[in-house]
Amino acid sequence: MGSTLILTDRTIITAQQPQPPLPAALGTSYHRLADLAQTQIWVAPECGMPQLLYWGDPLPADCDLAVLEQALCPALPHGALDVSEPVSWLPEPGCGFTDAPGLALRRGARHLYTRFRLEAAQQTAQGWTFRMRDPDAALALLLHIELPPGRGVLSAHCRLSNEGEDALSVDALASLALPVPSRLRERLSFTGRWAAEFQAVREPVGRAGWMQESRVGRTSHHAYPGIVLMERGTHATQGEAWSLQLAWSGNHRLLVQALRTGGLQVQAAGLLLPGEVTLQPGASCTSPTVHLCRSPAGLRLLSLRWQRFVRARVLPPTSGPRRVQFNSWEAAYFDHDCQRMQALARRVAVLGVERFVLDDGWFTDRRDDRRGLGNWEPCPERYPQGLAPLAACCEALGMQFGLWVEPEGVSPDSALHRDHPDWILGVPGLQQPLGRNQYVLNLGLQAARTHLFQALSALLRSAPIHFLKWDMNRDMTHAAGPDGQAAVRQHVLGLYRLLDDLRQAFPSLEIETCASGGARADLGILQRTSRIWVSDCNDPLERQRMHRALLTFLPAEAMGVHVGAARSHTTGRHADIALRTLTALLGHPGIEADPLTFSEDEARHLRQAIAFHKAERAWLAQADVTAVDHDAPAVLATSAIAADGQRALVTVVAADRTADAVPAPLRVPGLVAQAHYKVRLHPLWPADPRQGKRAAGPFLADEGITLAGRTLHLAGVALPILQPGSGVVLVLDRLP
Ligand code: GLA
């Protein structure tokens, strides 16, 4: 198998990995996935599912895998079964597994104790497909895993088929389970809530284990479907870390379980509601894909691998550079018409905005969030000639036009709901609570999808609309179809189909994923949407924390981050314009405020900051952007280092007062070790101007200083004294 891989965090090397002949013990086969940085070995016993035997740095080429398997085979403890209980791809109670199983299947009331056997292991271009069968249970199972070249991330899924003569109830089907070495005893995961998404939680993995679920029909604010398991004390550049992300935008479950007999298992699954999947004879269902990534050397390398993978293999390409946006929500909420929006457009165009996005409130009956969802036609009073005049005004000002939609949402008080009450997700005859005064359309229904496709296509043809902010504002409850069967999974698959159909019909359309802020950001939706509305909170200090967490799994250029009003609408906190622009600098920036309220100074600063971002964005879109550790918890630093190592920007923010009068030097990993960099402070973001040179430190206030990349990593550079809520931008240029 040819392989390309990331050898260090800065070098991408393509190489042909020699494949030693695979030894095979009686009835057992070994299956290797490898690149220069890692080896994964799956052992497929004659009876039972393949199990992960090894994942780590490359093993010696002459390693005898049968001997390795013996060496790692655990002893049988007293008080347990007389067989070992390996964590297979999908652990099976039928093989004697007594911890959380990877699948739960029934025919009527009969629970199936499956014992899958390997029929064939096929090597594919980039991995392995294991064809499993259980003749007694009349089931076939296909397990697929691959390691595409170049990014160091593995992808796996499974597909279950009913070969029996009666219906099969699929109560649970994980994408994959892995045995996790006991040394990886610390967990990093992300929780949150509306306007406070992506809160990193770092905790020891105890005997009680850990489980995280979303049951709200979307990825959720509270349970990001990704996890890192790592050695205790792992930091940016040290410690082994295993990580997985589920590419799924509906209900899901991540499980870390301390096994009865020792060790850990981690499982990732699309969560199924009772009765949600029933396979008729001959039918199949496929699990969501789970992506796996490992770093032998800290969280920075892990993030870089994820970011490069997502950039290269997940996100759809954008047409040209990501345009600086204006979004009308916090500028006008529901209070707008064509004239007001044209006035805002004229104002933001001179600030350097390149795309004007009209948020909620533009369609019939939508004067507040209690009505109108589903009427996807411009409001005849406020937009009497439709959206074309506003779009034309934007284009005349040199900006693209974009639009907010929430196609899955429907207000009870709307023509759509009156005409098709049976199109909503809900249990017939049962009252369900409203969420933001609305229901959710059942996109599992072809008729509902066709209706939305037609309505959105008509809209996209009515004016030059290049961008959709695709929102989804309701947690699902009672999420059933007309027959009462749970329908979240079908809804999500229907959503994916609708997005795919629209993107095929309108190939240059760019779509942003939004769900009351960041409640639907995952690698499933991001295959179809190129931007994440991270949060409805535009308070830069809150955003600093969210972005640094999100960068663990996703690249910076996909993060929608807007300069809001001086007083945050969600936290009430004040922030200088400099902190607001600094926070937007490394992501996909925009404005989320009434530009007519900016002072002259603010507008001048904003114009200059936007111009600076535009000058830097070509390399930023490919850059390695990660949180930089600092001793003081109040100092939040983030570095963006160009792929070729020629230039870097480091934003440094004081979220609070530091305990020490002078913050410790900032050490910046990831630069080209032997190269020399000129380090300067960018004048647009000066350290406390009132204190001048004394607070900035001698070198930053003057011409800057030259240091080797390795020195910057090992010794660092002194920081200015920063007031709470202020920040600076360090500019690093590699010297010839
Ligand atoms: C959601 C989004 C906001 C905004 C409003 C409009 O809350 O997260 O950004 O678009 O809907 O109703």
Side-chain angles (χ1 to χ4, degrees), residues 329 334 359-360 404 436 469 471 473 514 516-517 533 536:
W329 182 237
F334 292 103
D359 207 287
D360 199 353
W404 178 94
R436 207 190 185 203
K469 176 179 176 183
D471 207 343
N473 279 309
C514 171
S516 313
W533 183 231
D536 280 346

Side-chain angles (χ1 to χ4, degrees), residues 222-511:
H222 68 272
Y224 184 81
I227 186 176
V228 181
L229 294 166
M230 57 201 164
E231 289 177 315
R232 282 203 190 93
T234 291
H235 57 76
T237 53
Q238 210 176 345
E240 183 181 4
W242 290 20
S243 175
L244 61 82
Q245 294 195 65
L246 195 66
W248 184 239
S249 314
N251 293 338
H252 54 85
R253 173 186 290 157
L254 296 182
L255 173 77
V256 180
Q257 188 178 32
L259 301 169
R260 291 186 325 121
T261 51
L264 298 173
Q265 71 159 331
V266 59
Q267 277 190 21
L271 191 151
L272 301 176
L273 296 173
E276 183 153 25
V277 175
T278 301
L279 296 181
Q280 297 306 326
S284 307
C285 70
T286 304
S287 75
T289 295
V290 61
H291 300 285
L292 314 172
C293 181
R294 173 187 173 272
S295 165
L299 293 172
R300 177 179 154 78
L301 179 56
L302 190 78
S303 300
L304 299 187
R305 287 188 172 161
W306 275 130
Q307 292 178 15
R308 291 167 184 174
F309 169 76
V310 173
R311 197 175 269 156
R313 303 205 169 257
V314 179
L315 291 174
T318 55
S319 53
R322 290 171 179 269
R323 292 174 165 78
V324 175
Q325 300 200 166
F326 165 79
N327 189 76
S328 71
W329 182 237
E330 291 198 3
Y333 292 104
F334 292 103
D335 181 16
H336 53 88
D337 58 20
C338 194
Q339 279 70 39
R340 179 161 185 214
M341 283 297 152
Q342 288 184 345
L344 295 184
R346 284 190 285 276
R347 182 72 181 132
V348 295
V350 296
L351 297 175
V353 167
E354 299 161 299
R355 180 184 281 152
F356 183 100
V357 182
L358 179 60
D359 207 287
D360 199 353
W362 57 267
F363 45 96
T364 307
D365 282 346
R366 188 68 168 172
R367 288 197 176 274
D368 55 42
D369 68 7
R370 283 187 299 239
R371 69 203 92 230
L373 267 188
N375 302 335
W376 299 115
E377 281 165 2
C379 168
E381 292 89 43
R382 284 169 287 154
Y383 293 87
Q385 268 105 50
L387 299 172
L390 179 57
C393 165
C394 291
E395 297 218 324
L397 291 163
M399 295 185 293
Q400 278 191 352
F401 180 64
L403 194 62
W404 178 94
V405 289
E406 190 181 350
E408 294 146 89
V410 60
S411 308
D413 183 7
S414 67
L416 181 60
H417 185 245
R418 279 187 287 277
D419 292 347
H420 301 285
D422 52 331
W423 281 4
I424 65 163
L425 284 168
V427 178
L430 264 194
Q431 193 68 29
Q432 62 171 315
L434 290 166
R436 207 190 185 203
N437 307 304
Q438 68 192 60
Y439 296 126
V440 181
L441 279 185
N442 179 358
L443 296 201
L445 299 175
Q446 173 73 51
R449 279 203 310 275
T450 305
H451 169 84
L452 287 178
F453 180 81
Q454 287 168 352
L456 293 169
S457 299
L459 204 53
L460 291 169
R461 284 200 200 91
S462 74
I465 298 168
H466 296 272
F467 175 87
L468 290 180
K469 176 179 176 183
W470 187 295
D471 207 343
M472 190 334 195
N473 279 309
R474 195 196 144 165
D475 283 339
M476 291 181 199
T477 60
H478 303 69
D483 54 2
Q485 193 181 352
V488 176
R489 182 173 177 273
Q490 286 305 328
H491 173 87
V492 175
L493 293 174
L495 166 71
Y496 288 170
R497 218 166 303 152
L498 177 59
L499 287 166
D500 292 344
D501 290 349
L502 279 169
R503 291 181 54 236
Q504 197 177 0
F506 301 92
S508 63
L509 180 68
E510 286 176 31
I511 305 177

